[in-house]
Amino acid sequence: MDEFGMGSSCENSAFFPTRNPWDPDRVPGGSSGGSAAAVAADMGLFSLGEDTGGSIRMPASFCGVTGLKPTYGRVSRFGLIALVSSFDSIGPLTHDVWDAGLVLNVIAGHDPRDSTSVDVPVPDYGHAISRERLDGVRLGIPAEYFAEGMDPGVEKAVVTAIAHLQALGAQVEEVSLPHTDYAISIYYLILTAEASSNLARFDGIRFGLSEPPEGSDIIQRYLRTRGEGFGPEVKRRIMLGTFALSAGYYDAYYLRAQRVRTLLRQDFARAFEKVDALIAPVSPTPAFRLGEKVDDPLKMYLSDIHVVAANPGGVCSLAVPCGFVEGLPVGMQIIGPALDEARVLTIGAAYQATTHWHTYRPANSLQSPGGYE
Ligand code: GLN
């Protein structure tokens, strides 16, 4: 994974980058890229990922597996190292939606050790997802998610998947999420601010690495520990976040970003007055090459353009494989209202019951029934 969940490619790992089983010259996505690559290569039946701004869905899409970002609070965060305390969600990465439902059955539910885990009944996701038709289901296509700059192959795969959902009986209409343009800015602002605060505890005294100072100066101990213990991307974000929270800038940056977050939530709420779920691409491109974006943080941040809004937006989202571009998997998001994981799993089940994209394995997977040509 990317260190502290910060990244979209696994190249910010403190150890070494994970490679994409479909093409070892390409990234598996991030930050939970190892979790997705392991399932894609059949090293395990399922894995868990952590999604603060796409880290389950984006690797799922790049590696051709199914990934569910449950609603914030649906799964306990106990034991998780906090990145953005109000966005972080744990969820399953699996080959198909049925396995995702089974894993969610086990991990969902109230946990007194996480004060924000919600105390509401957990449906049986195993039963919720036996469905093959979508008659009466209304699906919204957010116009803002099909903007310029999208890979034509990705667009074609998602548009074909939408037509398939329609053929299963769903009614499809265009909707608007007008504040989508602000999602990346507010996400990275809130993320850097909260991460800088959350990571303050890694000071060499209470948590994490502890480098002895030369002499007994505690400041020297902090400086050495934090200087050596964090990778470059983590340091960049701590510095950006500390700046955004500093006196005189708090109102202009953090407070403002929180206000725009409310607008994003309202966008989703309005859309869900009209439709049951939203369909969108996971990423504007398939997996990119290792090294392609690592020197340009802004370019890397922009690869999250379709996934980050769900977290500040407070919704749940399922990523399912929906095609290939030049041998690389493409993913589609099924976004649902807060706490309605059963709904997105049901739509995903109807899709996977009648398509085969989730059944392909990369040629070098451990139990390869043959790669996709
Ligand atoms: N790409 C996002 C980031 O770098 C992913 C974060 C996450 O979901 N953990 O912040």
Side-chain angles (χ1 to χ4, degrees):
M1 65 178 290
D2 289 294
E3 192 179 15
F4 290 107
M6 297 183 190
S8 312
S9 69
C10 274
E11 291 165 295
N12 297 335
S13 164
F15 302 98
F16 50 83
T18 303
R19 290 166 185 270
N20 190 318
W22 289 93
D23 177 352
D25 291 335
R26 298 195 182 247
V27 303
S31 64
S32 297
S35 304
V39 173
D42 265 324
M43 294 163 75
L45 201 54
F46 78 91
S47 63
L48 296 180
E50 183 282 317
D51 194 310
T52 304
S55 282
I56 292 175
R57 291 161 287 152
M58 200 228 201
S61 165
F62 280 12
C63 293
V65 299
T66 299
L68 173 66
K69 182 207 98 63
T71 313
Y72 177 83
R74 180 54 104 184
V75 176
S76 170
R77 294 173 303 129
F78 181 74
L80 173 73
I81 290 178
L83 177 53
V84 178
S85 305
S86 57
F87 293 174
D88 299 344
S89 353
I90 303 275
L93 288 125
T94 54
H95 282 303
D96 58 45
V97 288
W98 299 280
D99 282 355
L102 292 177
V103 177
L104 190 62
N105 270 348
V106 177
I107 63 175
H110 180 241
D111 178 1
R113 293 168 301 181
D114 173 358
S115 62
T116 62
S117 86
V118 290
D119 198 358
V120 295
V122 178
D124 180 347
Y125 300 105
H127 290 297
I129 60 177
S130 53
R131 187 150 171 185
E132 290 189 8
R133 293 281 308 168
L134 292 173
D135 300 295
V137 174
R138 293 159 307 163
L139 299 177
I141 314 301
E144 294 80 2
Y145 281 62
F146 291 81
E148 233 175 281
M150 195 167 167
D151 180 287
V154 171
E155 183 165 6
K156 195 169 159 221
V158 178
V159 167
T160 307
I162 293 169
H164 183 87
L165 294 166
Q166 219 164 357
L168 295 178
Q171 288 165 8
V172 173
E173 62 182 274
E174 191 174 296
V175 294
S176 175
L177 300 172
H179 298 94
T180 299
D181 270 0
Y182 300 108
I184 285 271
S185 324
I186 73 133
Y187 168 78
Y188 274 98
L189 231 149
I190 296 175
L191 180 139
T192 52
E194 294 201 14
S196 75
S197 158
N198 272 328
L199 296 181
R201 73 193 64 168
F202 291 91
D203 56 6
I205 310 279
R206 291 171 293 175
F207 282 97
L209 182 79
S210 186
E211 288 295 319
E214 285 134 27
S216 58
D217 184 347
I218 191 158
I219 300 296
Q220 285 305 321
R221 180 183 283 253
Y222 287 154
L223 291 176
R224 251 196 96 192
T225 300
R226 292 173 66 80
E228 287 174 26
F230 293 134
E233 178 62 21
V234 178
K235 285 182 189 162
R236 177 182 297 120
R237 295 196 190 192
I238 290 175
M239 285 190 280
L240 284 169
T242 306
F243 176 77
L245 290 177
S246 56
Y249 294 106
Y250 180 89
D251 287 4
Y253 294 120
Y254 187 71
L255 205 63
R256 210 167 197 194
Q258 289 290 8
R259 292 204 177 113
V260 183
R261 173 190 185 165
T262 307
L263 297 176
L264 277 179
R265 291 182 95 92
Q266 289 169 353
D267 279 1
F268 281 113
R270 282 203 191 103
F272 289 130
E273 281 169 12
K274 293 211 296 189
V275 295
D276 300 309
L278 302 168
I279 305 293
V282 177
S283 166
T285 66
F288 45 90
R289 288 183 193 285
L290 274 118
E292 197 177 314
K293 300 189 181 181
V294 76
D295 295 326
D296 187 344
L298 197 57
K299 219 167 160 190
M300 190 72 92
Y301 300 165
L302 282 171
S303 52
D304 300 342
I305 193 143
H306 298 326
V307 280
V308 289
N311 303 65
V315 294
C316 61
S317 177
L318 174 73
V320 292
C322 70
F324 286 84
V325 181
E326 291 169 15
L328 298 169
V330 176
M332 156 174 88
Q333 285 187 89
I334 304 168
I335 304 170
L339 296 174
D340 213 345
E341 290 77 13
R343 186 183 301 187
V344 295
L345 287 168
T346 305
I347 297 167
Y351 183 72
Q352 290 190 342
T354 51
T355 54
H356 48 257
W357 302 115
H358 60 287
T359 63
Y360 292 109
R361 302 285 187 274
N364 56 359
S365 92
L366 292 184
Q367 298 166 31
S368 175
Y372 174 77
E373 299 301 331

